[in-house]
Amino acid sequence: MSEPSLTCDALLRRATVAIAGESPRLDAELLLCFVTGLSRTGFRAWPERQVTASEARRFEALVHQRACGHPVAHLLGEQEFWSLPLKVNASTLIPRPDTECLVEAALGLSLPPSARVLDLGTGTGAIALALASERPGWQVLACDAVAAAVELATVNAGRLGLPVAVVWSHWFESLPPGRFDLIVSNPPYIASSDHHLGEGDVRFEPATALIAGDDGLDDIRTIVTASPEWLSDNGWLVIEHGYDQGEAVRDLFLQAGLAAVETRKDYGQCDRLTLGQWPGRG
Ligand code: GLN
């Protein structure tokens, strides 16, 4: 029997069939880049390029894991967010492109040049690091209740050379006292009964980063209710939420006494984040 061909083209074709799913060709290309160090344009321009037998074995092992459902980001150990390469692992959520809408909303606010900023439940550090990369004058603090996520976000800040302090805290519970000009969060917001939890990449992400009680609002409720104690006068709260939670989240913001409350959409035109401003006790 002849050996299977070890050209990039042949490997990618076989992998694309094996992976199936939503974006099999892209997934296969990303895994082949990872193993060979070649770029995607590299093997498009030169599909007949041979890889070594050991590269092919490593690639096929990754393809097998992808075909079993493991997220590409976990296999590569990295995911890009806001053009920043972030280390990822199974301790926390894989950053989603739609969360960049939250970063854009935060950057669009009128805030002091040395604003004090807090990212609650930072995970990989994605939001905090994106903000710090855009606003070098901001003092960004990030927290997470999962120790492995605190470590991951700290590693990401160090690799990127961005001055984000990361501390362990379950929402506001263990934070040093103080007030912030901006509080951002992408908390868990999926209802425990949501059928999406059994499908696709989320099966490999921790429940702590995804699920928030029967209606998906438990953590958002906790954060919004406490936020007036942590916001400076005229400070802003910006929270990501589910596509069908806009009205409920706006109600929570209004009940907490926030003003200028508004819901914005994500890249897919779904309600995805709500912001509001704390006017002070007056
Ligand atoms: N948007 C993510 C999803 O639907 C959930 C993120 C979150 O719970 N914070 O998979």
Side-chain angles (χ1 to χ4, degrees):
M1 214 176 80
S2 65
E3 289 292 311
S5 165
L6 298 186
T7 66
C8 290
D9 185 52
L11 286 167
L12 287 170
R13 279 170 196 272
R14 289 200 296 270
T16 303
V17 174
I19 291 173
E22 271 176 32
S23 54
R25 175 76 190 194
L26 173 64
D27 294 356
E29 288 186 1
L30 292 171
L31 295 174
L32 194 58
C33 293
F34 178 64
V35 166
T36 61
L38 294 167
S39 68
R40 285 171 65 207
T41 42
F43 42 67
R44 283 204 191 136
W46 188 8
E48 297 309 313
R49 186 188 185 283
Q50 295 271 338
V51 305
T52 67
S54 99
E55 285 172 333
R57 272 197 303 277
R58 283 177 56 213
F59 174 67
E60 271 155 9
L62 291 171
V63 168
H64 175 70
Q65 285 184 278
R66 179 63 189 136
C68 294
H70 290 274
V72 174
H74 284 174
L75 300 176
L76 305 183
E78 206 168 281
Q79 168 79 35
E80 197 167 279
F81 179 82
W82 201 263
S83 300
L84 303 172
L86 298 178
K87 288 270 173 213
V88 298
N89 62 36
S91 72
T92 189
L93 200 74
I94 300 165
R96 314 280 205 261
D98 283 323
T99 300
E100 294 182 350
C101 298
L102 185 153
V103 173
E104 272 169 24
L107 293 173
L109 298 169
S110 156
L111 290 165
S114 58
R116 296 196 57 207
V117 177
L118 171 65
D119 177 14
L120 290 167
T122 196
T124 58
I127 299 170
L129 293 166
L131 294 176
S133 75
E134 294 290 335
R135 296 285 186 271
W138 286 6
Q139 305 166 57
V140 185
L141 176 67
C143 73
D144 205 286
V146 174
V150 174
E151 194 182 320
L152 182 64
T154 305
V155 166
N156 279 327
R159 285 179 87 220
L160 296 166
L162 290 168
V164 170
V166 190
V167 296
W168 178 85
S169 178
H170 183 238
W171 308 132
F172 299 103
E173 277 170 26
S174 308
L175 294 180
R179 289 194 178 259
F180 296 89
D181 302 300
L182 169 65
I183 298 175
V184 292
S185 185
N186 174 16
Y189 54 72
I190 300 181
S192 47
S193 58
D194 192 313
H195 66 92
H196 289 109
L197 292 166
E199 297 163 12
D201 287 5
V202 292
R203 289 172 300 158
F204 295 84
E205 294 176 297
T208 49
L210 294 165
I211 302 171
D214 292 344
D215 61 359
L217 290 168
D218 280 6
D219 291 297
I220 293 181
R221 218 177 271 119
T222 302
I223 294 168
V224 176
T225 307
S227 67
E229 302 307 319
W230 295 89
L231 284 166
S232 321
D233 290 1
N234 301 318
W236 287 89
L237 177 65
V238 188
I239 294 203
E240 179 171 324
H241 53 71
Y243 71 95
D244 55 356
Q245 294 171 332
E247 192 180 342
V249 175
R250 284 195 301 280
D251 283 348
L252 289 170
F253 272 55
L254 293 169
Q255 280 163 29
L258 295 162
V261 175
E262 187 194 333
T263 296
R264 304 238 180 111
K265 296 193 186 296
D266 63 18
Y267 296 127
Q269 297 311 311
C270 297
D271 282 358
R272 185 59 62 197
L273 62 104
T274 292
L275 52 153
Q277 189 172 30
W278 171 242
R281 296 254 175 237

mmCIF file of all heavy atoms in Angstrom, residues 93 96 186-190 202 205 209-211 240 272, ligand 1:
data_model
loop_
_atom_site.group_PDB
_atom_site.id
_atom_site.type_symbol
_atom_site.label_atom_id
_atom_site.label_comp_id
_atom_site.label_asym_id
_atom_site.label_seq_id
_atom_site.Cartn_x
_atom_site.Cartn_y
_atom_site.Cartn_z
ATOM 1 N N LEU A 93 -13.750 31.143 29.607
ATOM 2 C CA LEU A 93 -14.373 31.339 28.302
ATOM 3 C C LEU A 93 -13.333 31.652 27.220
ATOM 4 O O LEU A 93 -12.363 32.362 27.482
ATOM 5 C CB LEU A 93 -15.310 32.543 28.439
ATOM 6 C CG LEU A 93 -16.414 32.716 27.424
ATOM 7 C CD1 LEU A 93 -17.505 31.693 27.688
ATOM 8 C CD2 LEU A 93 -17.001 34.120 27.522
ATOM 9 N N ARG A 96 -14.920 35.880 22.490
ATOM 10 C CA ARG A 96 -15.766 35.881 21.290
ATOM 11 C C ARG A 96 -15.610 37.215 20.547
ATOM 12 O O ARG A 96 -15.531 38.254 21.205
ATOM 13 C CB ARG A 96 -17.244 35.780 21.662
ATOM 14 C CG ARG A 96 -17.607 34.750 22.697
ATOM 15 C CD ARG A 96 -17.680 33.375 22.075
ATOM 16 N NE ARG A 96 -18.545 32.475 22.824
ATOM 17 C CZ ARG A 96 -18.132 31.560 23.690
ATOM 18 N NH1 ARG A 96 -16.867 31.459 23.983
ATOM 19 N NH2 ARG A 96 -19.002 30.745 24.275
ATOM 20 N N ASN A 186 -18.239 40.828 31.091
ATOM 21 C CA ASN A 186 -18.915 39.815 30.279
ATOM 22 C C ASN A 186 -19.146 38.627 31.204
ATOM 23 O O ASN A 186 -18.367 37.680 31.212
ATOM 24 C CB ASN A 186 -18.055 39.421 29.076
ATOM 25 C CG ASN A 186 -18.669 38.268 28.295
ATOM 26 O OD1 ASN A 186 -19.855 37.962 28.462
ATOM 27 N ND2 ASN A 186 -17.882 37.615 27.468
ATOM 28 N N PRO A 187 -20.190 38.692 32.022
ATOM 29 C CA PRO A 187 -20.412 37.640 33.021
ATOM 30 C C PRO A 187 -21.088 36.427 32.381
ATOM 31 O O PRO A 187 -21.494 36.486 31.219
ATOM 32 C CB PRO A 187 -21.364 38.329 34.000
ATOM 33 C CG PRO A 187 -22.186 39.221 33.122
ATOM 34 C CD PRO A 187 -21.265 39.690 32.025
ATOM 35 N N PRO A 188 -21.228 35.336 33.124
ATOM 36 C CA PRO A 188 -22.057 34.241 32.610
ATOM 37 C C PRO A 188 -23.503 34.742 32.461
ATOM 38 O O PRO A 188 -23.974 35.457 33.342
ATOM 39 C CB PRO A 188 -21.987 33.183 33.718
ATOM 40 C CG PRO A 188 -20.920 33.621 34.649
ATOM 41 C CD PRO A 188 -20.746 35.086 34.481
ATOM 42 N N TYR A 189 -24.170 34.361 31.367
ATOM 43 C CA TYR A 189 -25.554 34.829 31.223
ATOM 44 C C TYR A 189 -26.467 33.815 30.535
ATOM 45 O O TYR A 189 -27.524 34.166 30.017
ATOM 46 C CB TYR A 189 -25.612 36.197 30.532
ATOM 47 C CG TYR A 189 -24.904 36.312 29.194
ATOM 48 C CD1 TYR A 189 -25.403 35.716 28.042
ATOM 49 C CD2 TYR A 189 -23.741 37.059 29.075
ATOM 50 C CE1 TYR A 189 -24.761 35.862 26.824
ATOM 51 C CE2 TYR A 189 -23.079 37.211 27.861
ATOM 52 C CZ TYR A 189 -23.603 36.617 26.741
ATOM 53 O OH TYR A 189 -22.957 36.759 25.532
ATOM 54 N N ILE A 190 -26.039 32.573 30.520
ATOM 55 C CA ILE A 190 -26.871 31.560 29.872
ATOM 56 C C ILE A 190 -27.724 30.856 30.929
ATOM 57 O O ILE A 190 -27.238 30.544 32.021
ATOM 58 C CB ILE A 190 -25.977 30.565 29.099
ATOM 59 C CG1 ILE A 190 -25.179 31.342 28.033
ATOM 60 C CG2 ILE A 190 -26.802 29.465 28.459
ATOM 61 C CD1 ILE A 190 -24.278 30.495 27.181
ATOM 62 N N VAL A 202 -18.991 25.307 23.289
ATOM 63 C CA VAL A 202 -19.322 25.607 24.700
ATOM 64 C C VAL A 202 -19.277 24.364 25.589
ATOM 65 O O VAL A 202 -19.079 24.475 26.792
ATOM 66 C CB VAL A 202 -20.694 26.301 24.900
ATOM 67 C CG1 VAL A 202 -20.700 27.695 24.332
ATOM 68 C CG2 VAL A 202 -21.826 25.478 24.387
ATOM 69 N N GLU A 205 -16.171 24.494 27.516
ATOM 70 C CA GLU A 205 -15.890 25.668 28.349
ATOM 71 C C GLU A 205 -16.546 25.458 29.706
ATOM 72 O O GLU A 205 -17.551 24.765 29.819
ATOM 73 C CB GLU A 205 -16.429 26.931 27.668
ATOM 74 C CG GLU A 205 -15.686 27.237 26.383
ATOM 75 C CD GLU A 205 -16.263 28.425 25.633
ATOM 76 O OE1 GLU A 205 -17.427 28.337 25.206
ATOM 77 O OE2 GLU A 205 -15.567 29.426 25.481
ATOM 78 N N ALA A 209 -18.195 29.985 33.625
ATOM 79 C CA ALA A 209 -18.073 31.136 32.727
ATOM 80 C C ALA A 209 -19.318 31.339 31.871
ATOM 81 O O ALA A 209 -19.417 32.338 31.152
ATOM 82 C CB ALA A 209 -16.854 30.962 31.827
ATOM 83 N N LEU A 210 -20.260 30.403 31.943
ATOM 84 C CA LEU A 210 -21.387 30.424 31.005
ATOM 85 C C LEU A 210 -22.752 30.551 31.686
ATOM 86 O O LEU A 210 -23.613 31.311 31.238
ATOM 87 C CB LEU A 210 -21.404 29.123 30.186
ATOM 88 C CG LEU A 210 -20.247 28.891 29.223
ATOM 89 C CD1 LEU A 210 -20.216 27.427 28.789
ATOM 90 C CD2 LEU A 210 -20.381 29.798 28.004
ATOM 91 N N ILE A 211 -22.951 29.789 32.774
ATOM 92 C CA ILE A 211 -24.309 29.584 33.289
ATOM 93 C C ILE A 211 -24.576 30.477 34.492
ATOM 94 O O ILE A 211 -23.740 30.592 35.393
ATOM 95 C CB ILE A 211 -24.509 28.103 33.688
ATOM 96 C CG1 ILE A 211 -24.258 27.215 32.467
ATOM 97 C CG2 ILE A 211 -25.914 27.862 34.242
ATOM 98 C CD1 ILE A 211 -24.220 25.736 32.779
ATOM 99 N N GLU A 240 -22.162 42.853 29.025
ATOM 100 C CA GLU A 240 -22.609 41.990 27.921
ATOM 101 C C GLU A 240 -23.716 41.065 28.432
ATOM 102 O O GLU A 240 -23.704 40.646 29.592
ATOM 103 C CB GLU A 240 -21.428 41.163 27.387
ATOM 104 C CG GLU A 240 -21.853 40.232 26.257
ATOM 105 C CD GLU A 240 -20.695 39.554 25.532
ATOM 106 O OE1 GLU A 240 -19.631 40.175 25.344
ATOM 107 O OE2 GLU A 240 -20.887 38.380 25.147
ATOM 108 N N ARG A 272 -26.805 42.861 22.583
ATOM 109 C CA ARG A 272 -25.663 42.150 23.187
ATOM 110 C C ARG A 272 -25.083 42.855 24.404
ATOM 111 O O ARG A 272 -24.426 42.234 25.218
ATOM 112 C CB ARG A 272 -24.562 41.942 22.135
ATOM 113 C CG ARG A 272 -23.366 41.109 22.580
ATOM 114 C CD ARG A 272 -23.747 39.709 23.034
ATOM 115 N NE ARG A 272 -24.354 38.969 21.961
ATOM 116 C CZ ARG A 272 -25.068 37.855 22.151
ATOM 117 N NH1 ARG A 272 -25.245 37.349 23.355
ATOM 118 N NH2 ARG A 272 -25.633 37.248 21.129
HETATM 119 N N1 GLN B 1 -21.930 34.579 24.124
HETATM 120 C C1 GLN B 1 -21.523 33.343 24.677
HETATM 121 C C2 GLN B 1 -22.253 32.190 24.028
HETATM 122 O O1 GLN B 1 -23.341 32.330 23.591
HETATM 123 C C3 GLN B 1 -21.770 33.288 26.181
HETATM 124 C C4 GLN B 1 -20.852 34.168 26.896
HETATM 125 C C5 GLN B 1 -21.220 34.343 28.316
HETATM 126 O O2 GLN B 1 -21.986 33.607 28.939
HETATM 127 N N2 GLN B 1 -20.677 35.355 28.879
HETATM 128 O O3 GLN B 1 -21.704 31.118 23.943
#
